[in-house]
Amino acid sequence: ELLQRGDTTGVFQLESSGMKRYLKDLKPTEFDDIVAMCALYRPGPLSAGLVDSFIRRKNGQEDVVYDHPTMEPSLSSTYGVLVYQEQFMQISKDVCGFSGGEADTLRKAIGKKKRDIMLKMEKRFIEGAVENGIPKKLIEDFWSKLLGFADYCFNKSHSACYGLIAYQTAYLKAHYPSAFMAALMTSDYDDIDRLAVEITECKHMGIKVLPPDINESFVEFAVVPKTKAIRFGMSAIKNVGTGAVESIIEARSEGPFKDLNDLFSRINTRLVNRRNFESLIKAGALDSFGERSYLLHNLDAMLAYASRLNKEKSSGQANLFGSVVDDNHIKPQLTLEDPDIKYTVREQLMWERELLGLYLSQHPLEAYSLLLSEQTIP
């Protein structure tokens, strides 16, 4: 059903716009249909009209015909359309009396476009067919078509391997859409153009792609439990390396960070530095703890607080009265202040574009959508 709808963005070999259109027309019902499309969607078959003919015959809109009844066993699986190298090998054996070795020599000649060898085999091909009762004119016409077919023919064994991976990826997309799209975006995290396409596809599928979040994101893109939304992977944020993200996740293993006090008391600032935090804040990963202007304004104070706690932990020192005074009283407190200047939404969107490669929370032109819709030319 997914293939019949043409919802194949991310599906191996089947995601081009042209392939999507042909899949919608074909309405595949079996694995062999996918294998055939992997072989047919190439310049030669497309220009020769073989794809259109295959689709019409599959759907009963065109009669399935064979040049000669003896060719039916070789061509019946593709509705009489010559698609694979293996098919003309079988025809050369069944119709022309070739041995297996001769058929393979013909395949190599056609596959490697060795015209001189093909011309040498022409006489043997035609004479063998005539001996088996095939009209000479018919087999000569078939040989002419075979010469043209040599320019774009594909072997079925190769196409079947493509088809299998296409089927597997389509199956995962159909049955585990969020996990599939998260894995797809993880594989393309450094390719902004692909990410933009895949995020658009998520919207089409009804899957939300959420900005990174320090309490929910992982190194890679990941599915949020229950909601099936996808969280941006923190390692996909520019200037935030895998080592820093792994350190954050390790600190988070004790439980979600409750507030800024809790966050900076558990983070190791030797592994997650100022540049990492600045990028995390600008990308929206700390939005649950406060507005981005507020967080950036207080970043130095938060890092100093974290550094002080880390030094105390590493030195093993405690307050003189540590044994009798409650920990909350001996632990230094984080003091923050409101910023004098707040960053605009436009500036924050530019940060997202710089650090994530795209606008995620919204698009700069969203505010003008009504105006733009009125400016369209009728």
Side-chain angles (χ1 to χ4, degrees), residues 12-13 35 38-39 42 84-86 154-165:
F12 182 71
Q13 288 284 306
V35 178
C38 287
R42 299 177 189 283
Y84 310 114
Q85 290 178 350
E86 287 88 342
F154 207 64
N155 63 74
K156 188 174 185 179
S157 54
H158 195 164
S159 192
C161 293
Y162 279 3
L164 179 61
I165 301 172

Side-chain angles (χ1 to χ4, degrees), residues 273-286:
N273 58 33
R274 189 186 198 286
R275 192 183 188 201
N276 299 151
F277 266 115
E278 186 175 337
S279 294
L280 285 165
I281 292 169
K282 286 183 174 180
L286 272 69

